[in-house]
Amino acid sequence: MIDRKVTLTDSLTGKSVELPVLDATYGDAVMDIGKLNKEFGLFTYDPGFVSTASCESAITYLDGEKGELMYRGYPIEQLATKCSFLEVCYLLWNGELPNKNEYIEFRNIIMHHTLMHETLRMFLDGFRYDAHPMAMMTGIVGSMASFYQDKLDINDPEHRMITAHRLISKMPTIAAACYKHSIGQPIMYPRNDLSYAGNFLHMMFATPCKEYIIDPVAEEAIDVLLILHADHEQNASTSTVRLAGSSGTNPFAAIAAGIACLWGPAHGGANEAVLKMLNQIGTVDNIDKFIAKAKDKDDPFRLMGFGHRVYKNFDPRAKLIKGIADKVLAKYGDDPLMHIAIRLEEIALKDQYFIERKLYPNVDFYSGIIYKALKIPVTMFTPMFVIARTIGWITHWNEMISDPNLKIGRPRQRYIGPTERDIKK
Ligand code: ACO
Protein backbone atom coordinates (compact mmCIF):
# COMPACT_ATOMS: atom_id res chain seq x y z
CA MET A 1 0.00 0.00 0.00
CA ILE A 2 1.45 3.41 -0.98
CA ASP A 3 1.72 5.92 1.87
CA ARG A 4 -0.34 8.78 0.50
CA LYS A 5 -1.87 11.71 2.36
CA VAL A 6 -3.87 14.79 1.52
CA THR A 7 -3.26 18.00 3.46
CA LEU A 8 -6.13 20.46 3.84
CA THR A 9 -5.46 24.02 4.94
CA ASP A 10 -8.15 26.40 6.17
CA SER A 11 -7.58 29.80 4.52
CA LEU A 12 -9.31 31.51 7.48
CA THR A 13 -7.43 30.00 10.44
CA GLY A 14 -4.30 28.75 8.66
CA LYS A 15 -4.77 25.41 10.43
CA SER A 16 -3.86 22.25 8.46
CA VAL A 17 -4.97 18.66 8.75
CA GLU A 18 -3.39 15.60 7.15
CA LEU A 19 -5.85 13.00 5.87
CA PRO A 20 -4.77 9.43 5.02
CA VAL A 21 -5.59 8.09 1.54
CA LEU A 22 -6.74 4.47 1.38
CA ASP A 23 -6.07 2.39 -1.74
CA ALA A 24 -8.78 0.43 -3.57
CA THR A 25 -8.37 -2.83 -5.54
CA TYR A 26 -9.77 -0.95 -8.54
CA GLY A 27 -11.06 2.56 -9.03
CA ASP A 28 -10.38 5.77 -7.18
CA ALA A 29 -8.67 5.69 -3.81
CA VAL A 30 -10.56 7.28 -0.90
CA MET A 31 -9.61 10.02 1.51
CA ASP A 32 -10.36 8.99 5.10
CA ILE A 33 -12.04 12.07 6.58
CA GLY A 34 -13.04 10.40 9.88
CA LYS A 35 -10.99 12.85 11.99
CA LEU A 36 -11.89 15.96 9.97
CA ASN A 37 -14.61 17.31 12.24
CA LYS A 38 -12.82 16.57 15.49
CA GLU A 39 -9.54 18.17 14.41
CA PHE A 40 -10.78 20.81 12.02
CA GLY A 41 -14.34 21.73 13.08
CA LEU A 42 -15.70 21.19 9.57
CA PHE A 43 -18.12 18.75 7.98
CA THR A 44 -17.90 17.73 4.32
CA TYR A 45 -20.83 18.82 2.15
CA ASP A 46 -21.69 16.54 -0.78
CA PRO A 47 -25.38 16.50 -1.78
CA GLY A 48 -26.21 13.36 -3.75
CA PHE A 49 -22.95 11.74 -2.52
CA VAL A 50 -21.21 12.57 -5.80
CA SER A 51 -17.73 12.45 -4.18
CA THR A 52 -18.46 10.25 -1.18
CA ALA A 53 -17.69 6.57 -0.63
CA SER A 54 -20.07 5.48 2.12
CA CYS A 55 -18.40 2.15 2.95
CA GLU A 56 -15.83 -0.47 2.03
CA SER A 57 -17.20 -3.36 -0.02
CA ALA A 58 -15.84 -6.50 -1.71
CA ILE A 59 -18.98 -7.38 -3.69
CA THR A 60 -19.35 -5.41 -6.92
CA TYR A 61 -17.09 -3.09 -8.89
CA LEU A 62 -18.10 -0.82 -11.73
CA ASP A 63 -16.03 1.52 -13.82
CA GLY A 64 -18.28 4.23 -15.20
CA GLU A 65 -15.71 5.65 -17.61
CA LYS A 66 -14.85 2.30 -19.19
CA GLY A 67 -18.39 0.88 -18.92
CA GLU A 68 -17.31 -2.19 -16.91
CA LEU A 69 -19.22 -4.14 -14.27
CA MET A 70 -18.00 -7.11 -12.19
CA TYR A 71 -19.60 -9.18 -9.43
CA ARG A 72 -16.95 -10.60 -7.07
CA GLY A 73 -14.35 -10.01 -9.83
CA TYR A 74 -16.26 -11.76 -12.64
CA PRO A 75 -17.20 -9.56 -15.65
CA ILE A 76 -20.96 -9.21 -16.17
CA GLU A 77 -20.63 -10.36 -19.81
CA GLN A 78 -19.27 -13.76 -18.63
CA LEU A 79 -21.83 -14.14 -15.85
CA ALA A 80 -24.72 -13.32 -18.20
CA THR A 81 -23.62 -15.87 -20.80
CA LYS A 82 -22.17 -18.69 -18.66
CA CYS A 83 -24.15 -18.73 -15.41
CA SER A 84 -27.73 -19.01 -14.19
CA PHE A 85 -29.29 -16.42 -11.88
CA LEU A 86 -29.12 -18.82 -8.92
CA GLU A 87 -25.39 -19.40 -9.51
CA VAL A 88 -24.97 -15.61 -9.47
CA CYS A 89 -26.96 -15.41 -6.21
CA TYR A 90 -24.63 -18.02 -4.69
CA LEU A 91 -21.60 -16.08 -5.96
CA LEU A 92 -22.78 -12.77 -4.56
CA TRP A 93 -23.62 -14.19 -1.15
CA ASN A 94 -20.62 -16.55 -0.76
CA GLY A 95 -17.96 -14.74 -2.77
CA GLU A 96 -17.25 -17.79 -5.00
CA LEU A 97 -19.16 -19.61 -7.73
CA PRO A 98 -20.64 -22.92 -6.55
CA ASN A 99 -19.29 -26.32 -7.63
CA LYS A 100 -21.84 -28.82 -8.95
CA ASN A 101 -22.87 -30.21 -5.55
CA GLU A 102 -22.97 -26.80 -3.90
CA TYR A 103 -25.20 -25.59 -6.72
CA ILE A 104 -27.61 -28.53 -6.44
CA GLU A 105 -27.88 -28.02 -2.68
CA PHE A 106 -28.39 -24.25 -3.03
CA ARG A 107 -30.98 -24.67 -5.78
CA ASN A 108 -32.89 -27.17 -3.63
CA ILE A 109 -32.92 -24.81 -0.67
CA ILE A 110 -34.14 -21.87 -2.75
CA MET A 111 -36.76 -23.85 -4.68
CA HIS A 112 -38.13 -25.51 -1.51
CA HIS A 113 -38.92 -22.29 0.34
CA THR A 114 -40.95 -20.61 -2.35
CA LEU A 115 -44.34 -20.72 -0.61
CA MET A 116 -45.73 -17.61 1.04
CA HIS A 117 -47.13 -18.06 4.55
CA GLU A 118 -50.90 -18.45 4.06
CA THR A 119 -51.66 -15.59 6.46
CA LEU A 120 -49.18 -13.39 4.60
CA ARG A 121 -51.06 -14.22 1.40
CA MET A 122 -54.28 -12.94 3.03
CA PHE A 123 -52.66 -9.50 3.35
CA LEU A 124 -53.36 -9.11 -0.35
CA ASP A 125 -57.09 -8.95 0.33
CA GLY A 126 -56.55 -5.73 2.26
CA PHE A 127 -55.19 -3.91 -0.77
CA ARG A 128 -57.34 -2.12 -3.33
CA TYR A 129 -57.70 -4.14 -6.54
CA ASP A 130 -55.81 -1.44 -8.47
CA ALA A 131 -52.96 -0.95 -5.97
CA HIS A 132 -49.52 -0.66 -7.57
CA PRO A 133 -47.61 -3.94 -7.01
CA MET A 134 -44.67 -1.94 -5.60
CA ALA A 135 -46.95 -0.52 -2.89
CA MET A 136 -48.11 -4.04 -2.03
CA MET A 137 -44.57 -5.45 -2.10
CA THR A 138 -43.23 -2.75 0.24
CA GLY A 139 -45.94 -3.59 2.77
CA ILE A 140 -45.80 -7.37 2.42
CA VAL A 141 -42.00 -7.63 2.66
CA GLY A 142 -41.95 -5.28 5.67
CA SER A 143 -44.51 -7.50 7.39
CA MET A 144 -42.40 -10.65 6.89
CA ALA A 145 -40.55 -9.90 10.15
CA SER A 146 -43.75 -10.78 11.97
CA PHE A 147 -43.85 -14.23 10.31
CA TYR A 148 -40.21 -15.27 10.65
CA GLN A 149 -39.44 -14.13 14.18
CA ASP A 150 -37.50 -17.34 14.86
CA LYS A 151 -34.53 -16.28 12.74
CA LEU A 152 -34.20 -12.56 13.39
CA ASP A 153 -30.97 -12.48 15.40
CA ILE A 154 -28.88 -10.28 13.12
CA ASN A 155 -25.70 -11.23 14.99
CA ASP A 156 -26.13 -14.91 14.11
CA PRO A 157 -24.64 -15.69 10.64
CA GLU A 158 -26.93 -18.70 10.26
CA HIS A 159 -30.04 -16.60 10.89
CA ARG A 160 -28.79 -14.08 8.35
CA MET A 161 -28.28 -16.81 5.75
CA ILE A 162 -31.72 -18.35 6.34
CA THR A 163 -33.29 -14.90 5.96
CA ALA A 164 -31.42 -14.41 2.69
CA HIS A 165 -32.72 -17.77 1.43
CA ARG A 166 -36.27 -16.88 2.46
CA LEU A 167 -36.12 -13.55 0.66
CA ILE A 168 -34.64 -14.95 -2.57
CA SER A 169 -37.13 -17.85 -2.54
CA LYS A 170 -40.27 -15.88 -1.77
CA MET A 171 -39.77 -12.62 -3.65
CA PRO A 172 -41.00 -14.02 -7.03
CA THR A 173 -44.01 -15.59 -5.25
CA ILE A 174 -44.87 -12.26 -3.60
CA ALA A 175 -44.42 -10.27 -6.82
CA ALA A 176 -46.55 -12.66 -8.90
CA ALA A 177 -49.23 -12.79 -6.16
CA CYS A 178 -49.44 -8.97 -6.20
CA TYR A 179 -49.98 -9.11 -9.95
CA LYS A 180 -52.69 -11.78 -9.69
CA HIS A 181 -54.44 -9.68 -7.04
CA SER A 182 -54.40 -6.66 -9.34
CA ILE A 183 -56.12 -8.58 -12.15
CA GLY A 184 -58.54 -10.45 -9.90
CA GLN A 185 -57.16 -13.93 -10.59
CA PRO A 186 -56.39 -16.56 -7.93
CA ILE A 187 -52.74 -16.67 -7.06
CA MET A 188 -50.78 -19.57 -8.52
CA TYR A 189 -48.73 -21.58 -6.07
CA PRO A 190 -45.05 -22.04 -6.94
CA ARG A 191 -43.79 -25.15 -8.71
CA ASN A 192 -40.46 -26.25 -7.32
CA ASP A 193 -39.68 -28.54 -10.25
CA LEU A 194 -39.28 -25.50 -12.51
CA SER A 195 -36.32 -23.17 -12.87
CA TYR A 196 -36.31 -19.93 -10.85
CA ALA A 197 -37.30 -17.89 -13.93
CA GLY A 198 -39.66 -20.59 -15.24
CA ASN A 199 -41.47 -20.76 -11.90
CA PHE A 200 -41.94 -16.98 -11.93
CA LEU A 201 -43.47 -17.13 -15.43
CA HIS A 202 -45.74 -19.96 -14.26
CA MET A 203 -46.94 -17.96 -11.22
CA MET A 204 -47.55 -14.91 -13.43
CA PHE A 205 -49.35 -16.53 -16.35
CA ALA A 206 -50.80 -19.92 -15.39
CA THR A 207 -54.35 -20.15 -14.03
CA PRO A 208 -56.01 -23.05 -12.19
CA CYS A 209 -57.99 -23.61 -15.41
CA LYS A 210 -55.07 -23.67 -17.80
CA GLU A 211 -51.49 -24.82 -17.70
CA TYR A 212 -48.91 -22.36 -18.88
CA ILE A 213 -46.27 -23.79 -21.21
CA ILE A 214 -42.97 -22.14 -20.44
CA ASP A 215 -41.18 -20.85 -23.49
CA PRO A 216 -37.40 -21.39 -23.19
CA VAL A 217 -36.73 -18.05 -24.95
CA ALA A 218 -38.77 -16.17 -22.33
CA GLU A 219 -37.24 -18.22 -19.50
CA GLU A 220 -33.69 -17.48 -20.66
CA ALA A 221 -34.45 -13.78 -21.20
CA ILE A 222 -35.85 -13.42 -17.66
CA ASP A 223 -32.90 -15.31 -16.15
CA VAL A 224 -30.35 -13.05 -17.90
CA LEU A 225 -32.29 -9.90 -16.96
CA LEU A 226 -32.24 -11.04 -13.32
CA ILE A 227 -28.45 -11.50 -13.51
CA LEU A 228 -27.95 -8.04 -15.02
CA HIS A 229 -29.99 -6.38 -12.27
CA ALA A 230 -28.68 -8.45 -9.34
CA ASP A 231 -26.29 -5.87 -7.91
CA HIS A 232 -24.83 -2.47 -8.65
CA GLU A 233 -22.66 -1.50 -5.68
CA GLN A 234 -23.83 1.48 -3.59
CA ASN A 235 -26.85 2.61 -5.66
CA ALA A 236 -29.71 4.50 -3.98
CA SER A 237 -31.75 1.47 -2.89
CA THR A 238 -28.72 -0.52 -1.69
CA SER A 239 -27.51 2.50 0.27
CA THR A 240 -31.03 2.78 1.70
CA VAL A 241 -30.91 -0.87 2.82
CA ARG A 242 -27.51 -0.27 4.42
CA LEU A 243 -28.63 2.92 6.18
CA ALA A 244 -31.85 1.34 7.44
CA GLY A 245 -29.99 -1.81 8.49
CA SER A 246 -27.23 0.15 10.25
CA SER A 247 -29.62 0.87 13.12
CA GLY A 248 -29.84 -2.88 13.78
CA THR A 249 -33.39 -3.15 12.45
CA ASN A 250 -34.44 -6.54 11.10
CA PRO A 251 -33.49 -7.42 7.49
CA PHE A 252 -37.10 -7.54 6.25
CA ALA A 253 -37.62 -3.93 7.36
CA ALA A 254 -34.33 -2.89 5.73
CA ILE A 255 -35.22 -4.62 2.43
CA ALA A 256 -38.71 -3.04 2.49
CA ALA A 257 -36.97 0.35 2.71
CA GLY A 258 -34.88 -0.63 -0.33
CA ILE A 259 -38.03 -1.59 -2.27
CA ALA A 260 -39.58 1.79 -1.43
CA CYS A 261 -36.47 3.58 -2.72
CA LEU A 262 -36.24 1.49 -5.89
CA TRP A 263 -39.78 2.51 -6.84
CA GLY A 264 -38.72 6.07 -7.79
CA PRO A 265 -38.53 6.98 -11.52
CA ALA A 266 -34.89 8.12 -11.19
CA HIS A 267 -34.00 4.56 -10.08
CA GLY A 268 -35.87 1.28 -10.60
CA GLY A 269 -39.03 3.01 -11.78
CA ALA A 270 -37.16 4.13 -14.90
CA ASN A 271 -38.03 1.04 -17.00
CA GLU A 272 -41.73 1.75 -16.44
CA ALA A 273 -41.07 5.42 -17.25
CA VAL A 274 -39.24 4.46 -20.49
CA LEU A 275 -42.25 2.60 -21.79
CA LYS A 276 -44.60 5.44 -20.86
CA MET A 277 -42.26 7.84 -22.66
CA LEU A 278 -42.06 5.68 -25.82
CA ASN A 279 -45.87 5.50 -25.89
CA GLN A 280 -46.07 9.25 -25.38
CA ILE A 281 -43.66 9.82 -28.29
CA GLY A 282 -45.96 7.57 -30.32
CA THR A 283 -44.22 7.71 -33.72
CA VAL A 284 -40.69 8.13 -35.05
CA ASP A 285 -41.76 11.53 -36.49
CA ASN A 286 -42.24 12.95 -32.98
CA ILE A 287 -38.74 12.09 -31.74
CA ASP A 288 -37.16 15.46 -32.60
CA LYS A 289 -39.85 17.27 -30.60
CA PHE A 290 -39.13 15.12 -27.51
CA ILE A 291 -35.34 15.48 -27.89
CA ALA A 292 -35.87 19.27 -27.92
CA LYS A 293 -38.01 18.99 -24.75
CA ALA A 294 -35.27 16.93 -23.03
CA LYS A 295 -32.70 19.62 -23.86
CA ASP A 296 -34.90 22.53 -22.76
CA LYS A 297 -33.81 23.70 -19.28
CA ASP A 298 -37.30 25.10 -18.61
CA ASP A 299 -38.96 21.77 -19.35
CA PRO A 300 -38.73 19.09 -16.62
CA PHE A 301 -38.93 16.33 -19.25
CA ARG A 302 -35.91 14.00 -19.38
CA LEU A 303 -35.20 11.17 -21.78
CA MET A 304 -36.01 8.20 -19.57
CA GLY A 305 -33.49 5.36 -19.83
CA PHE A 306 -30.69 7.82 -20.63
CA GLY A 307 -27.93 8.91 -18.28
CA HIS A 308 -26.47 7.39 -15.18
CA ARG A 309 -24.79 8.79 -12.10
CA VAL A 310 -21.75 6.56 -12.54
CA TYR A 311 -21.66 5.34 -16.17
CA LYS A 312 -20.28 8.03 -18.41
CA ASN A 313 -19.99 5.49 -21.21
CA PHE A 314 -22.34 2.77 -22.48
CA ASP A 315 -23.89 0.88 -19.57
CA PRO A 316 -22.49 -2.67 -20.19
CA ARG A 317 -25.86 -4.07 -19.13
CA ALA A 318 -27.63 -2.03 -21.84
CA LYS A 319 -25.46 -3.71 -24.53
CA LEU A 320 -26.35 -7.19 -23.24
CA ILE A 321 -30.02 -6.28 -22.94
CA LYS A 322 -30.14 -5.07 -26.55
CA GLY A 323 -28.95 -8.59 -27.54
CA ILE A 324 -31.77 -10.23 -25.54
CA ALA A 325 -34.30 -7.78 -26.99
CA ASP A 326 -33.31 -8.84 -30.52
CA LYS A 327 -33.81 -12.55 -29.63
CA VAL A 328 -37.14 -11.99 -27.86
CA LEU A 329 -38.57 -9.75 -30.58
CA ALA A 330 -37.47 -12.24 -33.27
CA LYS A 331 -39.73 -14.77 -31.54
CA TYR A 332 -42.56 -12.56 -30.29
CA GLY A 333 -42.86 -10.23 -33.24
CA ASP A 334 -41.90 -6.72 -34.03
CA ASP A 335 -42.85 -3.92 -31.68
CA PRO A 336 -43.32 -0.39 -33.06
CA LEU A 337 -41.93 0.91 -29.75
CA MET A 338 -38.65 -0.86 -30.53
CA HIS A 339 -38.36 1.19 -33.75
CA ILE A 340 -38.92 4.38 -31.77
CA ALA A 341 -36.34 3.26 -29.18
CA ILE A 342 -33.69 2.40 -31.81
CA ARG A 343 -34.20 5.69 -33.66
CA LEU A 344 -34.24 7.68 -30.41
CA GLU A 345 -30.96 6.09 -29.38
CA GLU A 346 -29.39 6.85 -32.80
CA ILE A 347 -30.47 10.49 -32.71
CA ALA A 348 -29.51 11.08 -29.06
CA LEU A 349 -26.07 9.51 -29.47
CA LYS A 350 -25.26 11.99 -32.28
CA ASP A 351 -26.65 15.03 -30.47
CA GLN A 352 -24.10 17.44 -28.92
CA TYR A 353 -26.24 17.90 -25.75
CA PHE A 354 -26.10 14.17 -24.95
CA ILE A 355 -22.48 13.75 -26.12
CA GLU A 356 -21.19 16.62 -23.93
CA ARG A 357 -23.01 15.30 -20.86
CA LYS A 358 -22.02 11.69 -21.60
CA LEU A 359 -25.64 10.55 -21.57
CA TYR A 360 -25.87 6.99 -22.92
CA PRO A 361 -28.73 4.47 -22.77
CA ASN A 362 -28.80 2.75 -19.37
CA VAL A 363 -29.96 -0.72 -18.29
CA ASP A 364 -33.60 0.32 -18.38
CA PHE A 365 -33.75 1.62 -21.91
CA TYR A 366 -34.47 -1.77 -23.51
CA SER A 367 -35.57 -3.92 -20.56
CA GLY A 368 -39.14 -2.55 -20.69
CA ILE A 369 -39.47 -3.51 -24.36
CA ILE A 370 -38.43 -7.09 -23.54
CA TYR A 371 -40.89 -7.29 -20.65
CA LYS A 372 -43.65 -5.89 -22.86
CA ALA A 373 -42.94 -8.49 -25.56
CA LEU A 374 -43.15 -11.20 -22.87
CA LYS A 375 -46.58 -9.81 -21.87
CA ILE A 376 -45.34 -8.67 -18.48
CA PRO A 377 -47.51 -5.66 -17.61
CA VAL A 378 -45.86 -2.27 -17.16
CA THR A 379 -46.62 -2.06 -13.43
CA MET A 380 -44.64 -5.29 -12.93
CA PHE A 381 -41.41 -3.93 -14.43
CA THR A 382 -40.11 -2.49 -11.16
CA PRO A 383 -41.20 -5.60 -9.15
CA MET A 384 -39.05 -7.61 -11.62
CA PHE A 385 -36.17 -5.37 -10.60
CA VAL A 386 -36.98 -6.08 -6.92
CA ILE A 387 -36.77 -9.85 -7.53
CA ALA A 388 -33.32 -9.42 -9.11
CA ARG A 389 -31.91 -6.86 -6.66
CA THR A 390 -32.99 -8.76 -3.51
CA ILE A 391 -29.75 -10.78 -3.56
CA GLY A 392 -27.69 -7.60 -3.96
CA TRP A 393 -29.48 -5.85 -1.09
CA ILE A 394 -29.26 -8.75 1.33
CA THR A 395 -25.59 -9.42 0.47
CA HIS A 396 -24.69 -5.78 1.15
CA TRP A 397 -26.69 -5.85 4.37
CA ASN A 398 -24.85 -9.03 5.44
CA GLU A 399 -21.45 -7.52 4.58
CA MET A 400 -22.31 -4.45 6.66
CA ILE A 401 -23.65 -6.41 9.66
CA SER A 402 -20.59 -8.72 9.61
CA ASP A 403 -18.27 -5.71 9.95
CA PRO A 404 -17.06 -5.51 13.57
CA ASN A 405 -16.64 -1.72 13.15
CA LEU A 406 -20.28 -1.16 12.11
CA LYS A 407 -21.63 2.24 13.15
CA ILE A 408 -25.15 3.54 12.71
CA GLY A 409 -25.30 5.71 9.55
CA ARG A 410 -25.87 9.27 10.72
CA PRO A 411 -25.07 12.02 8.18
CA ARG A 412 -24.77 15.64 9.29
CA GLN A 413 -26.08 18.79 7.62
CA ARG A 414 -25.39 22.40 6.77
CA TYR A 415 -28.09 24.24 8.76
CA ILE A 416 -29.58 27.14 6.77
CA GLY A 417 -32.79 27.74 8.80
CA PRO A 418 -33.77 30.69 11.01
CA THR A 419 -31.57 31.94 13.84
CA GLU A 420 -32.90 31.51 17.40
CA ARG A 421 -36.13 33.45 18.09
CA ASP A 422 -38.84 33.61 20.77
CA ILE A 423 -42.52 32.72 20.48
CA LYS A 424 -44.50 35.99 20.85
CA LYS A 425 -47.79 35.39 22.64
N1 ACO B 1 -32.37 13.60 -20.30
C1 ACO B 1 -31.96 14.88 -20.50
N2 ACO B 1 -30.98 15.46 -19.81
C2 ACO B 1 -30.39 14.74 -18.85
C3 ACO B 1 -30.75 13.40 -18.57
C4 ACO B 1 -31.79 12.82 -19.34
N3 ACO B 1 -32.16 11.56 -19.13
N4 ACO B 1 -29.99 12.92 -17.57
C5 ACO B 1 -29.17 13.93 -17.20
N5 ACO B 1 -29.41 15.03 -17.99
C6 ACO B 1 -28.67 16.30 -17.96
C7 ACO B 1 -29.07 17.18 -16.77
O1 ACO B 1 -30.11 18.06 -17.09
C8 ACO B 1 -27.78 17.90 -16.49
O2 ACO B 1 -27.62 18.94 -17.44
P1 ACO B 1 -26.87 20.32 -17.06
O3 ACO B 1 -25.46 19.92 -16.71
O4 ACO B 1 -26.98 21.17 -18.27
O5 ACO B 1 -27.61 20.87 -15.88
C9 ACO B 1 -26.70 16.86 -16.77
O6 ACO B 1 -27.28 15.98 -17.76
C10 ACO B 1 -26.28 16.04 -15.55
O7 ACO B 1 -27.46 15.52 -14.95
P2 ACO B 1 -27.63 15.19 -13.42
O8 ACO B 1 -29.08 15.14 -13.08
O9 ACO B 1 -26.75 16.11 -12.63
O10 ACO B 1 -27.01 13.74 -13.37
P3 ACO B 1 -27.19 12.72 -12.21
O11 ACO B 1 -25.97 11.88 -12.20
O12 ACO B 1 -27.57 13.39 -10.93
O13 ACO B 1 -28.49 11.87 -12.65
C11 ACO B 1 -29.90 10.18 -13.48
C12 ACO B 1 -28.45 10.56 -13.10
C13 ACO B 1 -30.84 10.39 -12.28
C14 ACO B 1 -29.92 8.68 -13.83
C15 ACO B 1 -30.35 11.05 -14.69
O14 ACO B 1 -29.47 10.86 -15.77
C16 ACO B 1 -31.79 10.77 -15.08
O15 ACO B 1 -32.72 11.36 -14.50
N6 ACO B 1 -32.02 9.86 -16.11
C17 ACO B 1 -33.35 9.48 -16.49
C18 ACO B 1 -33.93 8.47 -15.51
C19 ACO B 1 -33.31 7.09 -15.65
O16 ACO B 1 -33.17 6.54 -16.74
N7 ACO B 1 -32.95 6.50 -14.50
C20 ACO B 1 -32.40 5.14 -14.43
C21 ACO B 1 -31.01 5.13 -13.89
S1 ACO B 1 -30.35 3.51 -13.98
C22 ACO B 1 -31.01 2.72 -12.62
O17 ACO B 1 -31.35 3.27 -11.62
C23 ACO B 1 -31.12 1.30 -12.74
Side-chain angles (χ1 to χ4, degrees):
M1 193 166 163
I2 314 159
D3 186 24
R4 182 176 163 197
K5 292 188 174 63
V6 169
T7 307
L8 294 182
T9 306
D10 186 334
S11 62
L12 187 70
T13 62
K15 197 177 166 189
S16 289
V17 65
E18 224 176 41
L19 300 170
V21 173
L22 311 177
D23 259 356
T25 313
Y26 285 131
D28 294 335
V30 300
M31 202 164 73
D32 180 353
I33 59 162
K35 63 178 181 180
L36 187 70
N37 183 257
K38 203 166 162 217
E39 294 199 5
F40 221 45
L42 287 177
F43 289 129
T44 54
Y45 176 60
D46 183 21
F49 303 104
V50 290
S51 293
T52 298
S54 61
C55 61
E56 283 183 340
S57 182
I59 302 167
T60 289
Y61 173 71
L62 71 97
D63 185 323
E65 293 297 328
K66 293 192 195 147
E68 287 175 354
L69 173 63
M70 295 173 204
Y71 299 160
R72 301 282 191 186
Y74 293 107
I76 192 69
E77 293 79 5
Q78 291 182 29
L79 293 167
T81 48
K82 296 185 176 173
C83 295
S84 69
F85 176 63
L86 285 186
E87 281 176 287
V88 170
C89 288
Y90 186 99
L91 168 72
L92 284 166
W93 181 265
N94 295 289
E96 297 297 336
L97 281 166
N99 62 30
K100 205 173 161 203
N101 287 340
E102 286 165 340
Y103 179 67
I104 292 170
E105 191 193 345
F106 181 68
R107 193 202 164 279
N108 285 345
I109 292 171
I110 298 301
M111 296 313 294
H112 280 89
H113 290 87
T114 48
L115 275 175
M116 259 166 109
H117 192 290
E118 280 297 293
T119 317
L120 190 62
R121 187 180 60 73
M122 285 177 212
F123 270 40
L124 285 169
D125 298 338
F127 289 105
R128 268 179 68 112
Y129 72 96
D130 58 353
H132 196 288
M134 286 297 281
M136 295 191 255
M137 288 188 79
T138 313
I140 291 177
V141 172
S143 75
M144 282 170 80
S146 65
F147 289 88
Y148 302 107
Q149 300 182 50
D150 56 326
K151 295 286 181 291
L152 283 187
D153 179 359
I154 62 166
N155 297 313
D156 183 334
E158 204 199 332
H159 282 205
R160 298 203 296 267
M161 189 180 68
I162 292 171
T163 298
H165 291 162
R166 280 180 168 149
L167 280 160
I168 304 164
S169 298
K170 294 176 200 307
M171 208 58 96
T173 314
I174 295 169
C178 291
Y179 169 59
K180 288 294 193 186
H181 175 77
S182 72
I183 57 167
Q185 283 186 4
I187 75 156
M188 288 304 292
Y189 285 101
R191 269 188 47 196
N192 298 346
D193 58 316
L194 299 175
S195 72
Y196 191 82
N199 176 48
F200 174 70
L201 288 167
H202 152 79
M203 291 188 292
M204 283 287 292
F205 298 117
T207 67
C209 332
K210 196 165 175 248
E211 196 193 344
Y212 172 77
I213 310 288
I214 295 158
D215 169 25
V217 173
E219 192 178 9
E220 191 199 338
I222 297 288
D223 203 65
V224 178
L225 283 165
L226 293 175
I227 294 174
L228 300 183
H229 287 87
D231 194 38
H232 214 227
E233 52 119 304
Q234 311 310 322
N235 56 86
S237 56
T238 302
S239 298
T240 302
V241 170
R242 279 186 179 260
L243 188 58
S246 75
S247 71
T249 190
N250 71 77
F252 297 108
I255 299 290
I259 297 176
C261 176
L262 189 77
W263 194 359
H267 192 11
N271 52 14
E272 188 172 334
V274 169
L275 219 69
K276 279 189 190 144
M277 176 190 75
L278 293 175
N279 276 314
Q280 207 186 346
I281 295 176
T283 72
V284 171
D285 300 338
N286 286 335
I287 291 178
D288 287 342
K289 199 170 81 194
F290 280 86
I291 296 258
K293 268 166 80 61
K295 288 157 56 174
D296 181 354
K297 286 273 150 250
D298 298 324
D299 190 325
F301 176 78
R302 281 188 166 198
L303 272 196
M304 286 293 130
F306 267 77
H308 195 276
R309 169 59 62 77
V310 186
Y311 290 120
K312 301 302 171 196
N313 196 326
F314 247 92
D315 181 336
R317 301 167 301 173
K319 282 189 194 163
L320 291 159
I321 284 184
K322 176 89 190 317
I324 311 170
D326 292 341
K327 262 195 202 171
V328 167
L329 293 179
K331 166 114 196 204
Y332 285 88
D334 220 1
D335 186 333
L337 294 189
M338 187 69 177
H339 294 286
I340 300 176
I342 290 172
R343 191 73 192 116
L344 186 65
E345 181 185 332
E346 277 169 9
I347 295 174
L349 290 180
K350 285 190 197 128
D351 189 299
Q352 248 350 80
Y353 174 94
F354 293 89
I355 294 170
E356 275 164 17
R357 289 167 182 76
K358 300 188 175 171
L359 298 170
Y360 293 90
N362 60 45
V363 66
D364 287 321
F365 192 63
Y366 286 110
S367 62
I369 293 172
I370 301 174
Y371 291 143
K372 182 169 177 273
L374 298 178
K375 306 251 176 329
I376 292 176
V378 176
T379 53
M380 283 302 289
F381 291 1
T382 318
M384 300 288 301
F385 201 155
V386 171
I387 297 172
R389 189 53 61 85
T390 296
I391 179 61
W393 289 330
I394 198 68
T395 304
H396 279 271
W397 171 81
N398 186 50
E399 183 180 65
M400 179 188 70
I401 298 291
S402 314
D403 181 351
N405 298 319
L406 169 66
K407 279 195 174 78
I408 184 170
R410 175 47 168 102
R412 301 305 298 265
Q413 63 171 7
R414 174 179 173 230
Y415 177 70
I416 54 165
T419 52
E420 184 175 346
R421 51 190 167 156
D422 294 319
I423 296 170
K424 297 202 172 43
K425 68 172 180 181

